[in-house]
Amino acid sequence: MQASGLRGLLGDKELMRAPTSPMETGMSDSIRQPAEWAPHRACWLAWPSAADLWEENLPGAQAEFRELCRAIGASEKLEILVPNESAARDAERALAGLEARFHRIDFGDIWLRDTAPIFMHGLDGRLAAVRFAFNGWGEKYVLPFDAAVSARLAEASGHATRSHAWVLEGGAIDVDGEGTLLTTEQCLLNPNRHGGATPSKTEVEKRVLAAFGATRAIWIREGLLNDHTDGHIDTIARFTSPGVVVCMQAHDEDDPNRAVLDEIAATLEAATDAQGRRLKVVRIPSPGRVLDEEGEIMPASYTNFYISNGHVIVPTYGSRWDKTAVDALASLFPGRKTIGLPAKTILTGGGAFHCITQQEPVAKTEKA
């Protein structure tokens, strides 16, 4: 339902309607995250509004956010978090004409891939909003309200909630929907996600596979330079279909990630998925040396794309490799329109399009 005025703004009373226990819906214990290319009911995002965080980059971040929403909104509903009525009015003006619904939920910043629940299918076909603990990416960026976003958004979604007490961010995991999961040692085995303790890889893998309904994990050692997420997988390697994974390749001599990108490709080329297939690894260009206004290297990535029902939306950075990367990705998604949109201002906050989106799949009992 398209919002008119603030009629789309949902208050606390409506947010409290959802059940908080799987037992209230009779949902099966077995759940699985579908691949991102499976049909979506909606995409959840949070309107950039924190002037103290974004400073002079706020207008640019809002403009890039608006264009992203227009592309997503062409084929799926938008669920937008707004922290107050002023932000709601701004967001409504920016997204006028789109099928957007606004939720009055406080948040620290817009990185819902990591702070929101992850929606998964139960064996009965219904959805569960699966929640994990969040500690500000290893306590590096602890902002008010971020740790509570998962619970509030899960309530707003109306789906049964599953909760895990251990820390995990959605950007640290990518799945093929057929039992295979990609992740990195740099993030999942980092002591800063485990209260300073050194975790057992075997135990971490066991609980992550169980939580996502997967049977095989493929581990990459580390991610991009200056990535404050400690190597989130969605900036270095993504499934594009079962058995096919995309990663990047340095084409510029001064690319700061050349060695890491080659190691990532080698790891993937040696891997097999949950179905016993050797992965087909497709390499697209790296953006190369992308710098911020202070001359610092940014963790720019073309794999931080979002797969909507109708589009694949690729972040671009003003690099000479933008078009080549978008065209290469288009060949992997023949059923969707692949487009590149500017994301360098959003990247000043630490991530790009995949980092600020969280898809809500269609329940198997519903139609797209």
Side-chain angles (χ1 to χ4, degrees):
M1 178 177 67
Q2 183 175 327
S4 176
L6 292 182
R7 287 180 295 175
L9 188 62
L10 302 186
D12 290 344
K13 290 183 179 179
E14 291 190 63
L15 294 177
M16 295 304 294
R17 294 182 302 176
T20 58
S21 167
M23 298 305 295
E24 295 181 38
T25 62
M27 180 174 289
S28 166
D29 285 338
S30 297
I31 56 179
R32 173 177 285 190
Q33 184 187 21
E36 193 167 311
W37 54 80
H40 301 172
R41 184 199 71 82
C43 180
W44 292 80
L45 305 102
W47 172 248
S49 50
D52 59 332
L53 296 176
W54 290 94
E55 298 180 335
E56 71 277 4
N57 289 320
L58 182 58
Q62 290 175 339
E64 291 177 354
F65 182 96
R66 180 184 66 242
E67 295 308 306
L68 171 66
C69 285
R70 286 179 177 172
I72 295 173
S75 60
E76 60 195 60
K77 297 178 176 64
L78 299 168
E79 305 281 359
I80 310 294
L81 274 54
V82 289
N84 51 56
E85 292 189 7
S86 175
R89 288 190 292 269
D90 291 342
E92 186 190 36
R93 283 193 295 268
L95 305 180
L98 299 178
E99 191 171 1
R101 187 166 59 158
F102 301 92
H103 303 264
R104 171 65 175 84
I105 297 177
D106 289 318
F107 56 88
D109 208 359
I110 64 176
W111 315 108
L112 291 192
R113 181 62 53 178
D114 297 337
T115 59
I118 298 171
F119 296 99
M120 304 193 195
H121 284 144
L123 287 183
D124 56 7
R126 285 184 276 183
L127 287 181
V130 180
R131 297 175 49 216
F132 297 89
F134 179 75
N135 74 343
W137 303 279
E139 300 184 353
K140 289 190 290 293
Y141 302 94
V142 178
L143 300 175
F145 309 115
D146 266 349
V149 166
S150 182
R152 296 290 309 280
L153 195 155
E155 291 173 338
S157 76
H159 299 301
T161 300
R162 297 294 183 86
S163 297
H164 296 283
W166 39 280
V167 171
L168 184 132
E169 302 106 31
I173 299 292
D174 195 60
V175 302
D176 67 352
E178 295 189 355
T180 314
L181 177 151
L182 294 174
T183 192
T184 70
E185 296 178 6
Q186 183 185 2
C187 183
L188 260 61
L189 303 185
N190 199 313
N192 66 17
R193 304 308 203 273
H194 301 273
T198 301
S200 159
K201 183 176 180 179
T202 299
E203 288 303 312
V204 171
E205 178 173 310
K206 180 179 178 180
R207 70 185 182 190
V208 170
L209 289 176
F212 284 81
T215 57
R216 184 172 183 80
I218 298 174
W219 291 86
I220 290 171
R221 190 172 64 88
E222 64 178 328
L224 302 179
L225 180 66
N226 291 344
D227 177 6
H228 68 236
T229 70
D230 301 311
H232 272 189
I233 196 70
D234 63 359
T235 64
I236 54 176
R238 299 281 303 283
F239 284 111
T240 60
S241 60
V244 181
V245 65
V246 65
C247 61
M248 295 183 292
Q249 182 174 13
H251 289 292
D252 295 330
E253 289 299 323
D254 64 348
D255 192 313
N257 294 297
R258 174 180 294 276
V260 166
L261 297 179
D262 286 344
E263 179 182 339
I264 290 166
T267 299
L268 293 170
E269 287 165 354
T272 55
D273 67 11
Q275 305 303 314
R277 295 172 294 215
R278 180 65 64 91
L279 291 178
K280 177 182 178 181
V281 180
V282 179
R283 299 189 74 178
I284 63 174
S286 159
R289 195 178 187 86
V290 177
L291 306 178
D292 64 16
E293 293 179 354
E294 283 73 44
E296 294 294 321
I297 294 169
M298 305 173 79
S301 170
Y302 296 126
T303 69
N304 205 253
F305 53 81
Y306 178 73
I307 307 170
S308 75
N309 287 336
H311 293 78
V312 177
I313 308 158
V314 185
T316 60
Y317 309 99
S319 164
R320 65 175 176 143
W321 300 108
D322 285 353
K323 185 179 185 303
T324 305
V326 173
D327 290 347
L329 284 167
S331 69
L332 301 175
F333 294 97
R336 289 173 166 86
K337 181 178 181 180
T338 300
I339 60 173
L341 292 176
K344 189 174 180 181
T345 308
I346 288 176
L347 183 61
T348 64
F353 294 154
H354 199 250
C355 299
I356 65 173
T357 52
Q358 186 63 259
Q359 71 273 9
E360 180 185 330
V362 173
K364 293 180 180 179
T365 55
E366 301 174 344
K367 295 181 180 180

